[in-house]
Amino acid sequence: METLSPNQHNVFIGFSMKDTRYSFVSHLSAAFHRRNISTFLGEEDIISSVTQSAIEGAKVFVVVFSENYAFSPLSLETLAKFLDLRRRENGPVVIPVFYGDVTPSIVEQQTEKFGKAFSEHRSSFSGEDDKVERWRNGLVEAAKLQGHDSNEQQNDSDLVEEIVSDVRERLYPTGKIGIYLRLLGIENLLCKQTPDIYRIGIWGMPGIGKTTIAQAAFNQMCQDFETHFFLENFHVKFHEKGLYKLREEHSIEKLREKTALVVLDDVHDPMEAESFLGGFDCFGPASLIIITCRDKQVLYQCQVDSIYEVPSLTKKEALKLFIGFAFPEKETSDSDLVEVSKKVVEYANGNPKALSFYGRELEGRTTPEEMEASFEKIKRCPPQEIIDVFKSSYDALSDNERSIFLDIACFFNGEQLDRVMKIFEGCGFFPHVGIDRLVERSLLMISKNNRVDMHNLIQDVGREIANQENNKILRHRRFWDPSRIRLLLEDIEPKGVEVIEGIFFDTTNLNVVVNPMAFENMYNLRLLKIYSSNTETAQELHLPQELNSLPYELRLLHWEKYPLQSLPQDFDPSHLVELNMPYSQLQSLWGGTKSLGKLKIVNLSHSQKLVEVEELSKACSLEQIDLQGCTSLESIPRNDRLKNLQLLNLSGCTRIKRTEIIDKIKGLDQEGGLRETKTDSMVFSTLVELESEDNTLDF
């Protein structure tokens, strides 16, 4: 046990000696010690005078609920004492930790081993029902407090860091939610610091808290250096004041050879930072340079040794931040308002600037309906304050990168990366470079399941930028609003359609009769998707006078439930990358010979009137063909020229015999060739690991 005076202990840790004393609690106590936070570890025998003094002197009580916790009368009594003290003015903070298989409901309802423990207590303390009931009530109260759950963390190390950061915030409040957990990330990088000059980059999307974290790190460390300064909005001030005046203001020449802490906030150009500092190694040994930036490539060029990627706020942190702005006088107790608040938090996805902005804008809304309506309005029309935060990142993009950014914001957010890359390659956008740059500029992420993932806020801003650009030329390039698209396709003489590049039309609950000339003058249309986001209320587009033409520039043709028997005769698919027409009325694709050199993906699944697709034999770049459920299909294309074919789905094609497949698919079941993924599945793939009960492809 520690020998310090009890009143010197800021944190009292209550726990089960049997479960966690020499494992989790030991690590937790050591982590507190590394942060100069004194701790007192509870006992299991009696509450001695030392323990009693520690209880009365502690500012924070961390109680670790593990499976055997409730068997200890002393642990239960200690918890009850802390809860009594908590109700007093300036009483201690109680932080529950639900460890292992113990959940808040187990503690609150005293089930499983907690229930068994109280059965023993009733026998052992017969005649002391009030005491046992006090312990019960203590568990119920503690289970409802805001705490930490080990099941929400990947490992004990992350849980320990979260608890320590929470306690630091309670002991030394900054008003910046989650700041200590993020400072811990900076501290971990500093462990690698060498005697030479060390450079750290803080990177993340706009509004994520880079400046706040850099300022907190600066405040915490500045006294350890001979000299120090924090230059906020470096890029703006560099251009406002000029290089020489800015260097003079901060006496850069006098700082040479000194041990310095320098923070340059919001660097856009590495040359500006280097010229201002006189080089990235101009200070004395053990100096520290911190650079915040939204572009990872800039950080690399600033020769940083380590990069700290700022994480989003957790849902708990985000809800606390939002509620603090939306209900500044008093935290709302209206459960419906809390539910709407959770929707806003979910949408903001942990971005502090967005959460604080939404909170301020929604302050004073007293009903859930009013709050929800106001929030929907903000989402549809992001204010200029939010747009300006992201606009500089967008303005720095090349033309191809801007096109990729706007296409993802308007159409492809959440789609499979490989599929999107194919379409962008077909558009000539060089996506291998462009998408990497969007990721480096914090405008895009690639999810673990390999999907393009754009933050909701960035998507809203991207769509608003698209609208603003449309307003400049008085015409729209990208359409995603169903009501606007409906008017466009029904109009007999639509104007300005020659600049349109993309249409994604959700036909849910809409009944539309399409003008046969609707696509006649859409010379630049690259992307066309007609679909329903709700299969239960899906509506088909009506083409009573057929369809005269489709644009030559199409790279994506996605039309669910296409109502005609074939595509327009004069349609030239030579630029087409993906043909996606499930549940169509097609009998054949088109007549005559067509150029299909760029076609890579075909999905005609469940087109039950489709008879033949021999035209696909000429599509030498084809990688995937999905003909699942085409019950009238009588033959399949030969694959002599389909050297790149990786997947062929013929499940449910009842008129196709396996012998025909063997005859037409060259190299079937040979190494490197198409193989049937499961016996009699009629799904053939070059990917031997493809083993799925659901043979439907993800298009």
Side-chain angles (χ1 to χ4, degrees):
M1 184 178 294
E2 301 177 19
T3 58
L4 293 173
S5 171
N7 288 326
Q8 290 180 289
H9 297 292
N10 287 323
V11 178
F12 190 114
I13 304 178
F15 58 94
S16 164
M17 184 75 72
K18 181 178 179 181
D19 294 336
T20 57
R21 172 62 182 91
Y22 299 105
S23 53
F24 176 72
V25 169
S26 176
H27 296 309
L28 181 60
S29 177
F32 280 129
H33 180 72
R34 287 194 296 272
R35 300 295 180 275
N36 296 316
I37 297 174
S38 59
T39 59
F40 186 93
L41 302 184
E43 302 166 317
E44 282 208 345
D45 299 325
I46 59 170
I47 296 182
S48 64
S49 60
V50 174
T51 303
Q52 183 61 40
S53 296
I55 292 173
E56 293 172 356
K59 296 177 181 178
V60 177
F61 176 50
V62 177
V63 52
V64 181
F65 290 124
S66 56
E67 63 175 358
N68 290 298
Y69 176 88
F71 285 101
S72 168
L74 181 63
S75 294
L76 295 171
E77 183 61 28
T78 301
L79 173 62
K81 284 180 177 291
F82 267 107
L83 291 172
D84 288 340
L85 291 171
R86 175 178 175 269
R87 299 182 189 99
R88 299 179 185 177
E89 187 176 356
N90 298 320
V93 174
V94 177
I95 301 176
V97 177
F98 304 97
Y99 188 76
D101 294 328
V102 176
T103 64
S105 63
I106 289 174
V107 176
E108 181 180 0
Q109 299 168 20
Q110 285 114 55
T111 57
E112 299 189 18
K113 283 197 173 183
F114 278 68
K116 183 179 179 182
F118 272 91
S119 296
E120 294 183 7
H121 294 327
R122 279 195 298 271
S123 300
S124 302
F125 295 92
S126 58
E128 298 182 72
D129 293 346
D130 289 347
K131 175 182 284 190
V132 175
E133 189 62 25
R134 180 166 169 262
W135 294 345
R136 278 189 179 280
N137 293 336
L139 289 177
V140 172
E141 182 179 348
K144 294 178 180 178
L145 297 176
Q146 184 175 340
H148 304 271
D149 191 334
S150 65
N151 291 315
E152 294 177 1
Q153 295 294 338
Q154 291 185 346
N155 51 56
D156 280 3
S157 177
D158 290 344
L159 179 61
V160 165
E161 290 187 355
E162 184 180 83
I163 295 167
V164 171
S165 299
D166 186 10
V167 169
R168 289 173 78 184
E169 185 62 44
R170 308 294 184 107
L171 292 173
Y172 317 112
T174 63
K176 306 295 183 182
I177 294 172
I179 191 66
Y180 282 111
L181 188 59
R182 284 137 190 88
L183 277 177
L184 188 59
I186 301 292
E187 292 168 9
N188 289 339
L189 291 182
L190 289 174
C191 292
K192 306 172 185 176
Q193 186 171 2
T194 66
D196 300 323
I197 296 173
Y198 197 64
R199 294 169 291 270
I200 288 180
I202 299 179
W203 175 71
M205 69 180 289
I208 200 66
K210 299 182 293 296
T211 302
T212 301
I213 294 168
Q215 183 70 68
F218 177 83
N219 293 342
Q220 182 172 285
M221 297 186 293
C222 60
Q223 67 274 8
D224 299 329
F225 294 82
E226 291 180 275
T227 186
H228 50 78
F229 66 85
F230 185 102
L231 187 46
E232 191 170 357
N233 293 321
F234 171 79
H235 177 74
V236 172
K237 290 177 180 174
F238 186 92
H239 286 272
E240 284 179 351
K241 299 183 177 182
L243 172 62
Y244 297 106
K245 185 175 181 181
L246 203 59
R247 281 176 59 86
E248 187 177 281
E249 282 184 359
H250 292 85
S251 306
I252 295 297
E253 287 300 326
K254 296 180 181 179
L255 302 183
R256 301 179 73 89
E257 307 308 322
K258 288 188 177 182
T259 302
L261 170 61
V262 176
V263 178
L264 300 185
D265 170 57
D266 196 25
V267 173
H268 291 200
D269 185 338
M271 296 295 292
E272 294 174 358
E274 187 171 17
S275 60
F276 169 72
L277 295 173
F280 292 116
D281 55 357
C282 63
F283 301 116
S287 291
L288 175 61
I289 300 173
I290 298 176
I291 297 173
T292 77
C293 185
R294 61 183 70 172
D295 188 340
K296 190 178 280 188
Q297 195 60 234
V298 169
L299 292 176
Y300 291 144
Q301 293 170 12
C302 287
Q303 303 171 31
V304 297
D305 299 290
S306 301
I307 293 177
Y308 176 67
E309 181 177 350
V310 182
S312 300
L313 295 180
T314 65
K315 288 184 179 179
K316 248 189 308 193
E317 293 168 338
L319 186 61
K320 184 177 179 181
L321 178 61
F322 173 77
I323 286 177
F325 281 98
F327 311 102
E329 300 298 325
K330 183 181 179 182
E331 186 171 327
T332 180
S333 57
D334 186 326
S335 59
D336 291 332
L337 279 173
V338 171
E339 284 306 309
V340 177
S341 297
K342 287 180 179 178
K343 290 181 182 178
V344 178
V345 166
E346 185 75 26
Y347 190 81
N349 200 18
N351 185 289
K353 189 172 186 67
L355 287 160
S356 56
F357 175 80
Y358 292 150
R360 289 194 303 270
E361 290 296 306
L362 298 175
E363 181 186 351
R365 306 305 191 274
T366 56
T367 66
E369 294 77 17
E370 187 183 6
M371 179 183 276
E372 197 148 16
S374 298
F375 181 56
E376 287 300 322
K377 184 178 179 181
I378 295 171
K379 282 179 11 182
R380 285 195 303 272
C381 302
Q384 199 62 40
E385 175 187 342
I386 293 293
I387 294 173
D388 289 344
V389 173
F390 295 91
K391 193 66 164 63
S392 61
S393 294
Y394 174 78
D395 290 341
L397 300 176
S398 69
D399 288 343
N400 281 340
E401 290 163 0
R402 290 184 184 187
S403 294
I404 291 172
F405 172 77
L406 293 178
D407 277 354
I408 292 175
C410 297
F411 304 134
F412 293 120
N413 195 14
E415 296 288 343
Q416 281 286 345
L417 174 63
D418 291 344
R419 173 176 172 255
V420 173
M421 292 282 280
K422 288 180 175 67
I423 293 171
F424 285 153
E425 283 171 356
C427 294
F429 290 161
F430 303 101
H432 292 281
V433 175
I435 286 181
D436 281 350
R437 288 299 292 133
L438 293 183
V439 171
E440 288 174 345
R441 290 181 183 272
S442 312
L443 294 173
L444 188 68
M445 294 180 290
I446 306 302
S447 68
K448 291 180 180 178
N449 57 353
N450 213 36
R451 293 181 182 271
V452 291
D453 185 7
M454 184 174 284
H455 191 285
N456 291 327
L457 183 61
I458 297 178
Q459 181 176 27
D460 287 344
V461 171
R463 289 185 168 191
E464 186 58 27
I465 289 173
N467 282 332
Q468 290 180 1
E469 291 185 352
N470 294 337
N471 294 335
K472 287 181 183 178
I473 62 172
L474 302 178
R475 297 175 180 179
H476 285 74
R477 286 196 172 98
R478 294 172 178 83
F479 283 82
W480 62 88
D481 183 337
S483 58
R484 285 186 174 184
I485 298 172
R486 177 178 181 174
L487 294 175
L488 183 71
L489 297 184
E490 290 181 337
D491 197 344
I492 297 176
E493 295 183 3
K495 295 193 171 36
V497 297
E498 62 274 6
V499 301
I500 297 175
E501 296 182 28
I503 296 174
F504 272 44
F505 188 18
D506 185 352
T507 62
T508 302
N509 293 322
L510 292 177
N511 190 12
V512 184
V513 178
V514 180
N515 171 20
M517 306 286 288
F519 301 102
E520 188 75 18
N521 296 317
M522 295 187 188
Y523 307 120
N524 290 294
L525 187 66
R526 299 179 287 111
L527 311 168
L528 176 60
K529 181 175 179 178
I530 298 171
Y531 69 106
S532 175
S533 58
N534 187 336
T535 55
E536 295 181 1
T537 56
Q539 296 286 337
E540 299 177 27
L541 295 194
H542 301 288
L543 292 163
Q545 300 180 56
E546 304 288 312
L547 186 64
N548 284 14
S549 64
L550 283 169
Y552 166 74
E553 291 291 334
L554 276 179
R555 271 68 172 181
L556 169 66
L557 175 54
H558 183 147
W559 193 324
E560 297 174 8
K561 297 187 176 181
Y562 179 74
L564 304 180
Q565 295 180 1
S566 67
L567 294 168
Q569 183 60 35
D570 65 350
F571 172 50
D572 184 348
S574 57
H575 288 107
L576 201 61
V577 174
E578 179 177 325
L579 178 66
N580 199 335
M581 306 183 79
Y583 296 95
S584 74
Q585 297 298 310
L586 287 168
Q587 293 184 7
S588 61
L589 294 177
W590 44 66
T593 301
K594 302 284 185 179
S595 173
L596 301 173
K598 295 185 177 180
L599 188 61
K600 294 187 176 183
I601 300 174
V602 171
N603 177 14
L604 300 170
S605 61
H606 305 288
S607 297
Q608 296 185 356
K609 295 183 179 180
L610 189 66
V611 177
E612 57 89 20
V613 287
E614 189 57 37
E615 304 97 318
L616 298 181
S617 298
K618 305 177 182 69
C620 56
S621 298
L622 258 180
E623 297 176 6
Q624 300 176 15
I625 304 176
D626 188 357
L627 299 170
Q628 177 183 1
C630 294
T631 54
S632 299
L633 190 66
E634 295 178 351
S635 63
I636 62 171
R638 299 193 66 87
N639 83 322
D640 300 18
R641 298 174 61 187
L642 305 184
K643 307 296 184 184
N644 298 300
L645 191 61
Q646 298 172 6
L647 195 145
L648 174 63
N649 189 345
L650 298 170
S651 63
C653 297
T654 53
R655 297 192 182 186
I656 304 294
K657 305 299 182 186
R658 197 174 187 283
T659 52
E660 180 188 351
I661 299 171
I662 294 172
D663 180 55
K664 286 197 172 184
I665 298 182
K666 186 177 180 180
L668 181 64
D669 288 336
Q670 293 180 8
E671 186 175 353
L674 290 168
R675 299 184 181 186
E676 197 164 12
T677 59
K678 290 182 180 179
T679 305
D680 297 327
S681 68
M682 297 286 276
V683 180
F684 303 86
S685 173
T686 57
L687 309 176
V688 294
E689 70 271 20
L690 185 61
E691 291 279 343
S692 173
E693 293 182 3
D694 180 6
N695 293 327
T696 303
L697 304 183
D698 184 9
F699 283 95

